[in-house]
Amino acid sequence: MNPDDYNDHGMLRLPLWFWTILILQARTWLLFVMAGASRQQGSEMLSLFYPDPQSFWSGMLLGLPPALVFLLSGRRHLWPRIWQAGYWLLLAGMFATFALQGLGVWQSTDTLSAVDILLALLDAAALAYWLLSRRLRACFDAARRLA
């Protein structure tokens, strides 16, 4: 790897796709913040994307680890063990999200919306990238530092 790939703390810089995946996985939290900022239309916005309150709360629960990893990312050099565990926690969350989407599609009696299909495809692509990217895996490896 190139020395420019490392930050001031000797750790690999996080790739752009890492941030994209975090936004995708924490989408319920982002929608919740946007609904809170729009005040009058907030409840309408939430009911549009989450007509079932159960799916909203499961989205909030599954979006909590990405939100925490986002907050930890700037200080990952201070807590390397917690940072390493974040990789596996996010991976488990992605599997759970994908499984819940599959279960929802299987149990659905309505026709599938384009948004549901798009989110399922994006989650599958994020999961594939998470599993196959050696660079991303190296970013979570505390032993991988610039010597």
Side-chain angles (χ1 to χ4, degrees), residues 64-146:
L64 190 58
L68 293 175
V69 167
F70 173 77
L71 293 174
L72 180 65
S73 64
R75 300 285 182 186
R76 61 188 165 128
H77 62 281
L78 297 176
W79 298 293
R81 296 282 183 212
I82 296 172
W83 179 251
Q84 281 180 324
Y87 177 86
W88 300 105
L89 185 64
L90 288 174
L91 181 62
M94 281 189 251
F95 273 119
T97 300
F98 198 63
L100 285 175
Q101 282 178 340
L103 183 66
V105 167
W106 183 59
Q107 291 180 343
S108 177
T109 57
D110 299 333
T111 58
L112 292 176
S113 71
V115 173
D116 291 335
I117 293 170
L118 179 66
L119 286 175
L121 290 173
L122 287 172
D123 283 335
L127 184 59
Y129 178 78
W130 200 266
L131 290 171
L132 298 175
S133 175
R134 296 169 84 202
R135 167 77 185 257
L136 182 65
R137 181 67 186 116
C139 289
F140 280 89
D141 186 8
R144 173 91 68 163
R145 290 180 176 253
L146 184 60

Side-chain angles (χ1 to χ4, degrees), residues 3-85:
D4 291 335
D5 292 339
Y6 292 87
N7 65 13
D8 295 338
H9 300 288
M11 302 187 92
L12 276 172
R13 294 184 194 276
L14 294 164
L16 176 64
W17 287 110
F18 167 78
W19 303 108
T20 307
I21 290 171
L22 281 187
I23 290 170
L24 179 67
Q25 294 302 310
R27 61 185 171 257
T28 306
W29 281 91
L30 292 173
L31 185 63
F32 179 68
V33 168
M34 288 181 352
S38 67
R39 297 180 197 218
Q40 289 128 353
Q41 291 110 3
S43 61
E44 295 171 9
M45 184 186 306
L46 288 176
S47 65
L48 176 68
F49 287 98
Y50 293 101
D52 177 28
Q54 179 70 22
S55 62
F56 171 75
W57 290 112
S58 65
M60 291 293 279
L61 182 66
L62 289 171
L64 190 58
L68 293 175
V69 167
F70 173 77
L71 293 174
L72 180 65
S73 64
R75 300 285 182 186
R76 61 188 165 128
H77 62 281
L78 297 176
W79 298 293
R81 296 282 183 212
I82 296 172
W83 179 251
Q84 281 180 324

